[in-house]
């Protein structure tokens, strides 16, 4: 999918050597760089953060990290952090670092918005910390396009069915890559997951923790897993919620993600059928899916109006809105209303409102840099097809297994074909050999990170334990399930995982 929080590709980057092998991580204290680190790394590990009040009980700070860990004296980046201090100092265990996913999601915004939704037992014992990874938000952000250009990018048909539409899509994808090269060339080689994981070790040292305690959601699961791969003996407890499978290729990841959205759409259809009083789409799953497909096909020819601004609600905008609603079951009534509004009033405002939430478009027409950071990280994290013809084969494969979402999701990653920075390092399993137990959480009908990915990551990790939510929506923690909350809290506090095979309902 087009550079959204749907995690187009979130895995191994070896473009920049870091000199930090997990197997040699035998530091005796928390403020010493990994053995073999280049000269100049020590200063980053020994830095002290200056926390200042930033409203609402939160404190903010800025850390410094090397632009390139292989050459730590050749430039630096600033990393923005926020924390909500532990409420019971006598019970404090340390810091709980978090990442909300993306890549491209602001960890600072995440903690400011959700910190008090974390369990009271966690808030008592941990400073809750969010940070914007390198290239994201307030951390030397990657920039590529202005608001009007991003509007055009998201409006472009991502299910091209004639040469003209394909040419337009390729042109937009190339333009995105060129914009990033023009505005952010110096940062593009260094924004991948490998370096972001190393940044977390510097941040861990900067807050004074000997070992890392961490909650990562969605793409944040790979960021956390890769931290464990590099620094297994610096792990205290990691929760990886809505896991990404590090073994699969960039295009296979998109194909399986499209299948996940298809599964979630079927669950929405079944739910809609049971709510006949406000289901405008039919009386059976097949009818609902058929009507949604016909609706999107019609938009390809005749976009809808909206009451927010001058944008036309194209097939691409509407599909993005549908995908947004599939992230959480609480949005399903809104999605039913969106279809009713479109049918009865020829108005696509609700679809556009949903889409804007996902891609972080503001009412004034500007965007956060989530879209640009998402693409920048995804494109350097894994090898990409060499050309449009190769990429199209993956689209054809996706369409067979996911008729509605397949082309939309996979074509959304086309920009990586034209990316100015590429890696040849293939995906590989993550084992984090030598780490303490790591908790992996998977949701059975997760649209963006299919459950099979959680199963795969838990099995790859030498010390992985799988916790399952029999439910809908993307990720499990913070969704209100008492069983998931208790298991997560107990593990983070004690570092002892739940019994393997535990299923919450």
């Amino acid at each position: 999918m087009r550079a959204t929080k749907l995690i187009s590709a979130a895995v191994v980057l070896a473009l920049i050597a870091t000199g930090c092998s997990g197997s040699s991580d035998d530091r005796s204290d928390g403020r010493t760089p990994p053995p073999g680190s280049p000269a100049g790394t020590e200063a980053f590990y020994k830095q002290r953060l200056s926390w200042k009040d930033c409203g609402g009980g939160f404190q903010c700070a800025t850390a410094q990290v090397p632009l390139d860990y292989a050459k730590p004296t050749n430039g630096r980046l600033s990393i923005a952090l926020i924390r909500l201090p532990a409420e019971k100092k006598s019970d404090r265990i340390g810091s709980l670092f978090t990442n909300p996913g993306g890549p491209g999601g602001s960890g600072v915004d995440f903690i400011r918005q959700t910190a008090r939704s974390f369990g009271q037992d966690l808030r008592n014992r941990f400073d809750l910390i969010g940070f914007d990874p390198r290239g994201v938000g307030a951390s030397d952000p990657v920039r590529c396009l202005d608001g009007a250009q991003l509007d055009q990018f998201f409006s472009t048909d991502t299910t091209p069915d004639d040469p003209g539409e394909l040419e337009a899509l390729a042109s937009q994808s190339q333009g995105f890559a060129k914009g990033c090269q023009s505005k952010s060339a110096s940062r593009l080689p260094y924004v991948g997951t490998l370096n972001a994981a190393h940044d977390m070790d510097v941040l861990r040292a900067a807050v004074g923790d000997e070992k890392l305690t961490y909650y990562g959601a969605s793409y944040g699961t790979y960021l956390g897993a890769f931290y464990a791969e590099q620094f297994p003996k610096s792990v205290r407890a990691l929760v990886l919620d809505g896991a990404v499978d590090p073994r699969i290729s960039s295009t296979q990841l998109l194909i399986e993600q499209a299948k996940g959205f298809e599964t979630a759409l079927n669950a929405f259809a079944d739910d809609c059928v049971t709510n006949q009083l406000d289901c405008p789409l039919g009386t059976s799953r097949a009818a609902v899916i058929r009507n949604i497909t016909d609706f999107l096909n019609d938009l390809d020819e005749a976009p809808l109006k909206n009451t927010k601004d001058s944008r036309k609600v194209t097939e691409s905008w509407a599909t993005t809105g549908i995908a947004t609603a599939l992230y959480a079951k609480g949005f399903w009534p809104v999605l039913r209303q969106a279809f009713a509004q479109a049918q009865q009033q020829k108005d696509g405002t609700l679809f556009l409102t949903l889409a804007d939430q996902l891609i972080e478009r503001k009412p004034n027409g500007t965007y956060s840099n989530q879209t640009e950071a998402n693409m920048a990280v995804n494109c350097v994290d894994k090898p990409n097809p060499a050309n449009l013809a190769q990429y199209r084969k993956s689209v054809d494969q996706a369409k067979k297994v996911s008729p509605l979402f397949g082309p939309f999701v996979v074509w959304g990653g086309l920009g990586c074909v034209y990316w100015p920075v590429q890696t040849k390092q293939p995906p590989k399993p993550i084992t984090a050999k030598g780490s303490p137990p790591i908790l992996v959480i998977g949701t059975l009908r997760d649209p963006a990170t299919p459950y099979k990915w959680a199963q795969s990551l838990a099995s790859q990790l030498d010390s992985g334990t799988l916790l399952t939510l029999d439910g809908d929506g993307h990720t499990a923690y913070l969704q209100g399930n008492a069983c998931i909350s208790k298991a997560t809290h107990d593990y983070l506090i004690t570092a002892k995982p739940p019994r393997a095979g535990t299923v919450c309902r």
Side-chain angles (χ1 to χ4, degrees):
M1 185 167 283
R2 269 202 200 251
T4 70
K5 291 179 181 176
L6 305 189
I7 321 159
S8 309
V11 205
V12 182
L13 168 65
L15 184 63
I16 306 299
T18 65
C20 51
S21 166
S23 61
S24 63
D25 181 20
D26 56 0
R27 288 166 287 172
S28 59
D29 68 81
R31 296 176 60 81
T32 303
S37 295
T41 310
E42 299 87 349
F44 295 98
Y45 272 87
K46 294 184 182 299
Q47 69 184 296
R48 300 284 185 179
L49 300 183
S50 177
W51 294 98
K52 297 180 180 179
D53 180 87
C54 52
F58 293 95
Q59 299 171 342
C60 294
T62 301
Q64 301 296 312
V65 296
L67 173 67
D68 179 359
Y69 278 94
K71 300 176 181 178
T73 59
N74 288 5
R76 58 178 57 194
L77 296 171
S78 296
I79 303 296
L81 300 97
I82 191 171
R83 74 177 178 185
L84 184 67
E87 296 182 17
K88 288 191 175 182
K89 302 301 183 184
S90 60
D91 295 338
R92 184 181 179 276
I93 295 172
S95 303
L96 172 56
F97 281 85
T98 62
N99 181 279
S106 168
V108 170
D109 290 348
F110 173 69
I111 282 298
R112 190 175 285 280
Q113 294 164 6
T114 68
R116 291 181 173 88
S117 297
F118 281 68
Q120 186 64 52
D121 45 358
L122 296 183
R123 300 202 306 274
N124 287 341
R125 292 173 172 86
F126 292 98
D127 298 340
L128 299 184
I129 294 184
F131 66 98
D132 290 351
R134 56 173 59 208
V136 175
S139 296
D140 286 320
V142 169
R143 282 297 186 182
C144 308
L145 305 176
D146 62 27
Q149 291 170 322
L150 284 168
D151 280 349
Q152 183 60 45
F153 177 76
F154 282 111
S155 296
T156 305
D157 191 345
T158 48
T159 58
D161 46 29
D162 62 53
E165 290 182 344
L166 181 57
E167 182 180 355
L169 177 60
S171 177
Q172 284 293 318
S173 300
Q174 287 176 307
F176 195 109
K178 289 179 180 178
C180 290
Q181 175 69 4
S182 175
K183 295 183 177 183
S184 303
S186 64
R187 292 191 289 280
L188 293 186
Y190 306 105
V191 296
T193 302
L194 182 76
N195 286 319
H198 201 154
D199 290 343
M200 281 211 298
D201 201 49
V202 172
L203 299 180
R204 172 202 56 73
V207 301
D209 284 3
E210 184 177 350
K211 295 181 181 294
L212 181 74
T213 305
Y214 173 82
Y215 168 80
S218 196
Y219 161 81
T221 66
Y222 184 70
L223 181 61
F226 204 82
Y227 177 90
E229 184 81 337
Q230 295 185 80
F231 309 107
K233 294 181 181 179
S234 292
V235 170
R236 178 185 170 275
L238 305 185
V239 175
L240 309 180
D241 182 10
V244 175
D245 186 348
R247 295 185 299 186
I248 58 180
S249 70
S250 60
T251 51
Q252 188 60 40
L253 186 148
L254 292 172
I255 292 168
E256 293 188 6
Q257 192 173 72
K259 289 167 63 178
F261 276 92
E262 207 86 15
T263 297
L265 187 66
N266 286 335
F268 164 77
D270 292 340
D271 182 78
C272 193
V273 168
T274 65
N275 290 275
Q276 280 301 299
L277 292 179
D278 63 349
C279 182
L281 293 165
T283 58
S284 68
R285 175 196 285 187
V288 171
I289 299 299
R290 182 174 62 252
N291 286 329
I292 292 174
T293 302
D294 291 344
F295 168 73
L296 293 173
N297 288 337
D298 290 343
L299 288 183
D300 197 24
E301 300 294 331
L304 292 174
K305 65 179 182 179
N306 86 90
T307 59
K308 295 178 62 174
D309 50 44
S310 62
R311 287 175 293 168
K312 297 292 185 181
V313 184
T314 62
E315 179 185 6
S316 181
W317 280 117
T319 309
T320 303
I322 293 170
T324 306
L326 296 178
Y327 267 83
K329 196 170 183 178
F331 281 128
W332 291 4
V334 180
L335 184 55
R336 294 196 297 269
Q337 293 173 25
F339 281 113
Q341 182 187 63
Q343 290 178 352
Q344 298 165 13
Q345 304 172 33
K346 304 301 179 185
D347 185 341
T349 301
L350 276 175
F351 287 110
L352 207 58
T353 299
L354 286 165
D356 286 350
Q357 289 185 33
L358 187 69
I359 60 177
E360 298 185 6
R361 185 187 190 273
K362 302 171 186 177
N364 65 3
T366 64
Y367 289 72
S368 77
N369 92 310
Q370 182 235 128
T371 293
E372 294 139 311
N374 181 283
M375 189 75 80
V377 175
N378 287 338
C379 291
V380 298
D381 264 358
K382 282 187 173 183
N384 302 295
N387 52 53
L388 181 61
Q390 286 186 14
Y391 201 89
R392 190 166 191 169
K393 294 178 182 179
S394 296
V395 176
D396 293 340
Q397 182 183 351
K399 189 172 183 179
K400 293 178 181 178
V401 298
S402 177
L404 195 149
F405 282 104
F408 174 73
V409 172
V410 179
W411 275 126
L414 180 60
C416 291
V417 170
Y418 309 108
W419 209 248
V421 182
Q422 299 283 341
T423 179
K424 295 182 180 180
Q425 180 68 23
K428 61 182 181 181
I430 287 181
T431 62
K433 185 177 181 180
S435 77
I438 295 172
L439 180 61
V440 180
I441 309 177
T443 301
L444 287 183
R445 293 174 294 280
D446 189 315
T449 51
Y451 177 67
K452 63 186 290 187
W453 291 356
Q455 292 176 302
S456 178
L457 181 58
S459 68
Q460 291 171 47
L461 293 167
D462 278 7
S463 60
T465 296
L466 179 63
L467 173 65
T468 300
L469 174 62
D470 183 356
D472 300 282
H474 184 39
T475 72
Y477 185 61
L478 298 178
Q479 303 301 325
N481 184 278
C483 172
I484 291 290
S485 294
K486 184 178 187 306
T488 301
H489 296 172
D490 289 349
Y491 166 71
L492 287 171
I493 291 168
T494 68
K496 297 178 181 178
R499 178 177 54 82
T502 298
V503 178
C504 294
R505 292 180 172 83

